[in-house]
Amino acid sequence: MKRIAIVGVGLIGGSFALALKANGFKGEIVGAGRSATRLQVAQDLGVIDRFETDLAEAVRGCELVLLAVPMGAMRSTLLALRSGLSDETIITDAGSVKGSFVADVRSVLANCARVVPGHPIAGTENSGVEAAFATLYQGRRVILTPLKESESSAVTAVQALWQQTGAQVECLAVEHHDRVLAATSHLPHLLAFSLVDTLTELQEREEIFRYAAGGFRDFSRIASSDPRMWRDISLANQEALLAVLGHFQANLSQLAESIRQRDGEAIEQRFQRAKLSRDGFC
Ligand code: NAP
């Protein structure tokens, strides 16, 4: 490709650009967003080659556009860039929820044949272009959720670009993606935020945090993630997230009951099953 645009040059969009450059991408990478100051930082860091704050201008003449803005900004971003697209422009995204992106894109574009939704299963708790790094996607999975009308040439092109970042690409149906990611990513973030928030409300919070050990650090790391990004993800994947949260609440209630009943066998069985699962997948 000769020119691509990245709309939202933060951790995910910036790392995509850096990874492509590190792996021999020779085309031009245009950064696009709402703040010239922030985009200038991205250019100074060598993440993008040039930038535009007029999104339609940014995508004009680009073969591919990657949207890497928060879920709640996808629709307004698509509306702002729409007039710069040609019939050939491939549109993909890196959003964490696919159902809401598909709804957004269908509500904005009449023809979605060149749309290939995607989601890199990689990230950190840090945000912004300063947090971007070239190896973020190395050996990590990227899930594409092509639409029934997505042209195979567009899917192949998006797949090839992600592979160039070092990622392994797989395809899933949209609903399947959102159900699986609700369980593996969105629920853990919700729990981390909720746990730390619960402890913050307790009177002994200063002592709790002072004496917190490695386990607390491991479990709570993702509660340092961007609250607004996770607000958007929670709302965008409402149905799947509430379903898995219901399962979790039931499990937690059973555990609480076992503790109340002093049923050591039930507690140990539950912990044993969890340990086996985790040891197995790690
Ligand atoms: P980020 O580092 O905060 O970057 C977000 C980018 O979007 C920034 O360039 C920001 O511009 C721009 N932006 C923020 N709010 C906006 C708004 N209301 N309108 C237009 N642009 C806006 O976030 P990120 O971690 O890269 O996440 C980007 C996308 O990737 C999200 O959809 C997220 O769900 C998805 N994702 C994240 C992770 C992760 O672990 N972080 C993993 C996989 C997928 P400014 O510089 O002007 O604020």
Side-chain angles (χ1 to χ4, degrees):
M1 288 189 184
K2 291 201 176 70
R3 188 186 299 156
I4 66 170
I6 297 176
V7 187
V9 190
L11 168 70
I12 294 296
S15 297
F16 183 76
L18 285 174
L20 286 179
K21 283 170 181 271
N23 291 297
F25 181 79
K26 294 282 181 262
E28 184 183 36
I29 301 183
V30 182
R34 56 189 179 169
S35 157
T37 314
R38 298 290 302 138
L39 289 163
Q40 186 64 56
V41 172
Q43 187 172 330
D44 293 345
L45 289 170
V47 174
I48 50 175
D49 299 315
R50 64 178 176 88
F51 66 84
E52 297 276 356
T53 50
D54 179 328
L55 301 193
E57 270 319 304
V59 304
R60 209 177 296 286
C62 289
E63 288 140 284
L64 179 139
V65 178
L66 172 79
L67 275 78
V69 296
M71 294 308 312
M74 289 289 183
R75 188 167 190 278
S76 57
T77 301
L78 284 160
L79 282 168
L81 61 78
R82 177 171 58 178
S83 64
L85 299 173
S86 79
D87 290 345
E88 294 305 309
T89 319
I90 297 168
I91 297 141
T92 187
D93 78 306
S96 304
V97 184
K98 301 299 5 126
S100 74
F101 175 73
V102 171
D104 287 343
V105 85
R106 284 201 192 287
S107 74
V108 173
L109 301 183
N111 179 359
C112 292
R114 304 294 280 169
V115 175
V116 184
H119 177 205
I121 312 299
T124 73
E125 69 277 26
N126 303 316
S127 300
V129 70
E130 296 86 348
F133 56 102
T135 54
L136 177 61
Y137 305 116
Q138 196 66 49
R140 307 304 294 270
R141 286 197 171 79
V142 171
I143 300 175
L144 302 184
T145 60
L147 310 175
K148 60 180 185 319
E149 67 267 48
S150 301
E151 290 171 359
S152 59
S153 61
V155 178
T156 308
V158 174
Q159 182 172 352
L161 267 193
W162 276 115
Q163 283 168 339
Q164 206 173 337
T165 68
Q168 299 165 18
V169 180
E170 294 178 18
C171 287
L172 283 183
V174 170
E175 302 73 25
H176 190 185
H177 168 279
D178 287 356
R179 247 191 346 266
V180 171
L181 269 292
T184 56
S185 170
H186 308 168
L187 179 65
H189 278 82
L190 207 80
L191 299 187
F193 281 124
S194 179
L195 173 77
V196 178
D197 185 46
T198 304
L199 299 187
T200 306
E201 282 172 354
L202 297 180
Q203 268 188 344
E204 310 82 8
R205 62 182 169 277
E206 284 188 11
E207 278 183 304
I208 290 170
F209 291 117
R210 182 172 331 131
Y211 297 124
F216 178 77
R217 260 178 202 282
D218 289 349
F219 191 91
S220 64
R221 177 182 62 82
I222 51 181
S224 288
S225 303
D226 181 2
R228 274 170 301 176
M229 186 175 94
W230 283 96
R231 172 203 64 191
D232 283 8
I233 292 170
S234 303
L235 295 176
N237 205 15
Q238 182 192 46
E239 202 179 315
L241 186 52
L242 286 178
V244 72
L245 187 59
H247 287 301
F248 176 75
Q249 283 171 322
N251 189 294
L252 200 58
S253 299
Q254 288 160 9
L255 181 58
E257 189 53 30
S258 300
I259 294 171
R260 196 171 296 115
Q261 304 283 340
R262 305 194 65 77
D263 186 346
E265 200 179 326
I267 297 169
E268 189 180 331
Q269 265 176 15
R270 197 172 291 275
F271 290 173
Q272 192 64 38
R273 206 164 55 224
K275 176 175 164 49
L276 274 176
S277 283
R278 190 183 190 273
D279 291 352
F281 100 87
C282 287

Short mmCIF file of all heavy atoms in Angstrom, two decimals, residues 13 28 46 57-58 89 93 99 115 132 134 143 148 157 170 192 201 216-217 224-225 227 240 245 256 260:
data_model
loop_
_atom_site.label_atom_id
_atom_site.label_comp_id
_atom_site.label_asym_id
_atom_site.label_seq_id
_atom_site.Cartn_x
_atom_site.Cartn_y
_atom_site.Cartn_z
N GLY A 13 -3.46 2.70 17.81
CA GLY A 13 -3.17 3.22 16.47
C GLY A 13 -1.69 3.51 16.30
O GLY A 13 -1.09 3.21 15.25
N GLU A 28 3.14 5.77 3.01
CA GLU A 28 3.00 6.93 3.89
C GLU A 28 1.92 6.64 4.94
O GLU A 28 0.87 6.08 4.61
CB GLU A 28 2.58 8.16 3.06
CG GLU A 28 2.51 9.42 3.89
CD GLU A 28 2.02 10.63 3.09
OE1 GLU A 28 1.15 10.45 2.21
OE2 GLU A 28 2.50 11.73 3.36
N GLY A 46 7.99 10.14 15.46
CA GLY A 46 8.25 9.30 14.28
C GLY A 46 7.20 8.22 14.08
O GLY A 46 7.40 7.26 13.31
N GLU A 57 -10.16 15.00 4.82
CA GLU A 57 -8.90 15.29 4.10
C GLU A 57 -7.87 14.21 4.40
O GLU A 57 -7.11 13.78 3.53
CB GLU A 57 -8.34 16.66 4.53
CG GLU A 57 -8.81 17.82 3.71
CD GLU A 57 -8.87 17.52 2.21
OE1 GLU A 57 -7.83 17.12 1.64
OE2 GLU A 57 -9.95 17.67 1.62
N ALA A 58 -7.84 13.78 5.66
CA ALA A 58 -6.85 12.77 6.08
C ALA A 58 -6.99 11.49 5.28
O ALA A 58 -6.00 10.87 4.89
CB ALA A 58 -6.99 12.49 7.57
N THR A 89 -11.65 2.53 -0.89
CA THR A 89 -10.98 2.64 0.42
C THR A 89 -11.42 1.50 1.34
O THR A 89 -12.62 1.28 1.55
CB THR A 89 -11.32 3.97 1.12
OG1 THR A 89 -11.32 5.01 0.15
CG2 THR A 89 -10.32 4.27 2.23
N ASP A 93 -11.06 -1.28 11.80
CA ASP A 93 -10.97 -0.62 13.10
C ASP A 93 -10.27 -1.54 14.08
O ASP A 93 -9.98 -2.69 13.75
CB ASP A 93 -12.37 -0.27 13.64
CG ASP A 93 -13.08 -1.48 14.21
OD1 ASP A 93 -13.19 -2.48 13.49
OD2 ASP A 93 -13.49 -1.44 15.38
N GLY A 99 -19.90 -5.64 17.66
CA GLY A 99 -21.31 -5.42 17.32
C GLY A 99 -21.63 -3.94 17.21
O GLY A 99 -22.30 -3.51 16.26
N VAL A 115 -15.55 -2.80 4.19
CA VAL A 115 -15.39 -2.69 5.65
C VAL A 115 -14.99 -4.05 6.22
O VAL A 115 -15.62 -5.06 5.94
CB VAL A 115 -16.71 -2.22 6.32
CG1 VAL A 115 -16.57 -2.22 7.84
CG2 VAL A 115 -17.09 -0.83 5.82
N ALA A 132 2.79 4.02 22.94
CA ALA A 132 2.84 3.09 21.79
C ALA A 132 4.23 2.49 21.62
O ALA A 132 5.23 3.15 21.89
CB ALA A 132 2.44 3.86 20.51
N ALA A 134 6.54 -0.62 19.10
CA ALA A 134 6.51 -1.37 17.83
C ALA A 134 6.24 -2.86 17.99
O ALA A 134 5.79 -3.50 17.05
CB ALA A 134 7.85 -1.17 17.10
N ILE A 143 -8.28 -10.43 15.90
CA ILE A 143 -9.51 -11.07 15.41
C ILE A 143 -10.18 -10.14 14.40
O ILE A 143 -10.43 -8.97 14.69
CB ILE A 143 -10.48 -11.35 16.57
CG1 ILE A 143 -9.81 -12.29 17.58
CG2 ILE A 143 -11.78 -11.97 16.05
CD1 ILE A 143 -10.64 -12.54 18.83
N LYS A 148 -20.90 -10.07 5.98
CA LYS A 148 -21.24 -11.00 4.90
C LYS A 148 -20.90 -10.39 3.54
O LYS A 148 -20.56 -11.09 2.60
CB LYS A 148 -22.70 -11.46 4.97
CG LYS A 148 -23.74 -10.36 4.87
CD LYS A 148 -25.14 -10.97 4.96
CE LYS A 148 -26.26 -9.99 4.74
NZ LYS A 148 -26.16 -8.66 5.34
N ALA A 157 -6.31 -7.89 2.49
CA ALA A 157 -5.42 -6.74 2.67
C ALA A 157 -5.27 -6.39 4.15
O ALA A 157 -4.16 -6.12 4.63
CB ALA A 157 -5.96 -5.55 1.89
N GLU A 170 -7.01 -14.18 13.05
CA GLU A 170 -8.08 -15.18 13.01
C GLU A 170 -9.39 -14.46 12.73
O GLU A 170 -9.51 -13.27 12.99
CB GLU A 170 -8.19 -15.90 14.35
CG GLU A 170 -6.98 -16.75 14.68
CD GLU A 170 -7.08 -17.42 16.04
OE1 GLU A 170 -8.19 -17.52 16.57
OE2 GLU A 170 -6.02 -17.82 16.54
N ALA A 192 -11.65 -5.71 38.14
CA ALA A 192 -10.49 -4.98 38.69
C ALA A 192 -10.92 -3.58 39.14
O ALA A 192 -10.59 -3.15 40.25
CB ALA A 192 -9.38 -4.89 37.64
N GLU A 201 -13.43 2.46 49.16
CA GLU A 201 -14.55 2.93 49.99
C GLU A 201 -14.38 2.53 51.47
O GLU A 201 -15.03 3.10 52.34
CB GLU A 201 -15.86 2.33 49.48
CG GLU A 201 -16.39 3.04 48.24
CD GLU A 201 -17.59 2.30 47.64
OE1 GLU A 201 -17.93 1.20 48.11
OE2 GLU A 201 -18.16 2.85 46.70
N PHE A 216 -2.16 -8.45 44.88
CA PHE A 216 -3.06 -7.31 44.66
C PHE A 216 -2.60 -6.50 43.44
O PHE A 216 -3.40 -6.05 42.63
CB PHE A 216 -3.09 -6.42 45.90
CG PHE A 216 -3.94 -5.20 45.72
CD1 PHE A 216 -5.32 -5.28 45.77
CD2 PHE A 216 -3.36 -3.97 45.46
CE1 PHE A 216 -6.11 -4.16 45.57
CE2 PHE A 216 -4.14 -2.84 45.26
CZ PHE A 216 -5.52 -2.94 45.32
N ARG A 217 -1.28 -6.34 43.34
CA ARG A 217 -0.74 -5.62 42.18
C ARG A 217 -1.12 -6.30 40.87
O ARG A 217 -1.55 -5.68 39.91
CB ARG A 217 0.79 -5.55 42.25
CG ARG A 217 1.27 -4.26 42.75
CD ARG A 217 2.77 -4.18 42.88
NE ARG A 217 3.04 -3.12 43.83
CZ ARG A 217 2.98 -1.83 43.53
NH1 ARG A 217 2.72 -1.44 42.31
NH2 ARG A 217 3.19 -0.92 44.44
N SER A 224 -5.84 0.43 36.35
CA SER A 224 -5.18 1.69 35.96
C SER A 224 -5.47 2.06 34.51
O SER A 224 -4.94 3.03 33.99
CB SER A 224 -3.66 1.57 36.15
OG SER A 224 -3.35 1.57 37.52
N SER A 225 -6.29 1.26 33.83
CA SER A 225 -6.63 1.56 32.42
C SER A 225 -7.52 2.80 32.36
O SER A 225 -8.07 3.24 33.37
CB SER A 225 -7.38 0.37 31.81
OG SER A 225 -6.61 -0.80 31.91
N PRO A 227 -10.42 5.05 32.30
CA PRO A 227 -11.83 4.86 32.69
C PRO A 227 -12.82 5.17 31.56
O PRO A 227 -13.84 4.48 31.43
CB PRO A 227 -12.02 5.85 33.83
CG PRO A 227 -10.65 6.10 34.35
CD PRO A 227 -9.73 6.00 33.17
N ALA A 240 -23.71 -8.82 26.26
CA ALA A 240 -22.80 -9.94 26.53
C ALA A 240 -22.13 -9.77 27.89
O ALA A 240 -21.92 -10.74 28.63
CB ALA A 240 -21.76 -10.03 25.43
N LEU A 245 -21.47 -11.36 33.53
CA LEU A 245 -21.44 -10.83 34.89
C LEU A 245 -22.45 -11.58 35.78
O LEU A 245 -22.18 -11.86 36.96
CB LEU A 245 -21.78 -9.32 34.87
CG LEU A 245 -21.63 -8.56 36.17
CD1 LEU A 245 -20.21 -8.64 36.71
CD2 LEU A 245 -22.02 -7.10 35.97
N ALA A 256 -19.43 -17.46 48.56
CA ALA A 256 -19.74 -16.80 49.84
C ALA A 256 -20.54 -17.73 50.73
O ALA A 256 -20.29 -17.82 51.94
CB ALA A 256 -20.50 -15.50 49.57
N ARG A 260 -19.69 -19.14 54.40
CA ARG A 260 -20.64 -18.98 55.51
C ARG A 260 -20.89 -20.32 56.19
O ARG A 260 -20.93 -20.42 57.42
CB ARG A 260 -21.95 -18.39 54.97
CG ARG A 260 -22.86 -17.83 56.04
CD ARG A 260 -24.03 -17.05 55.46
NE ARG A 260 -23.61 -15.86 54.73
CZ ARG A 260 -23.77 -15.66 53.42
NH1 ARG A 260 -24.37 -16.57 52.68
NH2 ARG A 260 -23.34 -14.56 52.84
#
